[in-house]
């Protein structure tokens, strides 16, 4: 009996995640979720007291913390790798962790950063950009090989690049691709992000 209940609960969560990914929190209705798995709306309420509770069951705030930690670690590692002359291949473990997170939490990430109206994640993209700024700031300089830039201008540049990085990843995650294709494109984007920015660090 408990196994059956767990199965139904998992089906509800899976259907809800797909609908939140497709329509966003505001536009996804409990009736849509029920229809997706052919159960009554009332049956959903035996597992979740409302849509809000269901939403945070499938898009947990702890996931946001995990994703931020992975990102912060990567910013530190990539910048330190540049300054220490370490090749990106030596950071394969972190790349693998990032790829696994993007694959496993693809829909949740898109919901958190783009389809978040009406949720606690509405400002998540700006918060992530602020965190990226804070993490990158110790590595910033006012003079580089190819150009000079003020501290204020450097922050503006960083803001533009940060937005671009997030948008590229979201674009990749929204596309219907095989896991292998997504991984190959992610690796290519990582190379572009690191070595396309190489001259900006010099």
């Amino acid at each position: 009996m408990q196994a059956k209940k767990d199965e139904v609960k998992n089906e509800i969560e899976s259907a809800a995640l797909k609908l939140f990914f497709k329509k966003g929190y505001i536009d996804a209705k409990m009736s849509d979720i029920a229809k997706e798995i052919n159960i009554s709306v009332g049956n959903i309420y035996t597992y979740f007291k409302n849509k809000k509770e269901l939403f945070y069951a499938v898009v947990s705030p702890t996931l946001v913390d995990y994703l931020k930690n992975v990102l912060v670690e990567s910013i530190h590692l990539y910048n330190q790798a540049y300054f220490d002359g370490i090749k990106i291949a030596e950071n394969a473990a972190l790349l693998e962790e990032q790829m696994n997170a993007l694959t496993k939490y693809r829909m949740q990430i898109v919901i958190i950063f783009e389809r978040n109206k009406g949720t606690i994640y509405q400002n998540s993209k700006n918060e992530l950009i602020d965190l990226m700024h804070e993490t990158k700031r110790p590595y910033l300089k006012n003079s580089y090989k190819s150009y000079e830039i003020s501290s204020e201008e450097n922050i503006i540049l960083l803001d533009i690049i940060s937005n671009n990085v997030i948008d590229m990843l979201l674009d990749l995650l929204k596309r219907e691709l095989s896991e292998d294709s997504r991984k190959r494109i992610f690796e290519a984007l990582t190379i572009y992000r690191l070595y396309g920015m190489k001259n900006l660090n010099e």
Side-chain angles (χ1 to χ4, degrees):
M1 188 66 172
Q2 185 59 44
K4 178 62 176 176
K5 284 184 177 181
D6 290 342
E7 182 183 338
V8 173
K9 186 172 184 285
N10 290 338
E11 287 179 354
I12 292 170
E13 290 178 342
S14 178
L17 181 59
K18 290 176 184 176
L19 264 296
F20 292 136
F21 173 77
K22 183 178 179 181
K23 296 186 174 185
Y25 174 74
I26 293 291
D27 292 331
K29 296 177 171 44
M30 294 293 255
S31 57
D32 296 330
I33 297 166
K35 185 177 180 181
E36 184 78 13
I37 52 176
N38 198 29
I39 65 171
S40 69
V41 174
N43 203 0
I44 295 180
Y45 286 113
T46 64
Y47 295 89
F48 301 95
K49 64 181 179 181
N50 52 41
K51 184 171 76 168
K52 184 176 181 180
E53 182 178 83
L54 174 54
F55 177 80
Y56 291 116
V58 297
V59 190
S60 168
T62 58
L63 173 59
V64 180
D65 294 335
Y66 166 72
L67 294 170
K68 286 180 178 178
N69 287 337
V70 171
L71 176 69
V72 167
E73 185 181 355
S74 71
I75 292 174
H76 280 308
L77 191 58
Y78 293 150
N79 280 276
Q80 203 57 52
Y82 168 75
F83 288 113
D84 294 343
I86 300 171
K87 293 184 180 298
I88 190 60
E90 296 178 36
N91 300 319
L94 179 60
L95 277 173
E96 188 68 25
E97 182 179 5
Q98 288 180 323
M99 190 63 245
N100 289 340
L102 291 175
T103 301
K104 185 175 181 179
Y105 302 113
R106 178 176 79 92
M107 289 188 282
Q108 290 96 327
I109 293 169
V110 172
I111 293 166
I112 289 167
F113 293 111
E114 192 166 282
R115 296 168 188 170
N116 51 27
K117 187 176 179 181
T119 77
I120 61 173
Y121 306 128
Q122 284 188 156
N123 198 40
S124 59
K125 185 176 180 181
N126 290 333
E127 290 172 355
L128 180 58
I129 288 171
D130 288 344
L131 180 61
M132 293 169 76
H133 289 184
E134 181 183 335
T135 307
K136 176 72 175 175
R137 198 180 300 270
Y139 301 100
L140 296 178
K141 301 182 291 186
N142 289 328
S143 180
Y144 297 84
K145 184 188 292 185
S146 303
Y147 62 98
E148 291 187 4
I149 191 167
S150 70
S151 297
E152 182 179 345
E153 291 164 346
N154 221 337
I155 294 300
I156 293 171
L157 175 63
L158 184 57
D159 185 64
I160 293 169
I161 292 171
S162 300
N163 270 286
N164 183 254
V165 167
I166 295 171
D167 288 342
M168 282 193 302
L169 285 176
L170 289 174
D171 189 347
L172 174 59
L173 296 178
K174 286 185 290 187
R175 295 174 185 265
E176 292 297 329
L177 300 167
S178 70
E179 287 189 15
D180 286 343
S181 289
R182 200 182 313 281
K183 181 177 181 179
R184 285 192 292 269
I185 294 170
F186 172 72
E187 289 174 345
L189 284 174
T190 300
I191 297 300
Y192 164 76
R193 178 162 65 94
L194 293 175
Y195 296 104
M197 292 176 62
K198 182 175 184 295
N199 290 337
L200 291 178
N201 285 323
E202 291 180 340

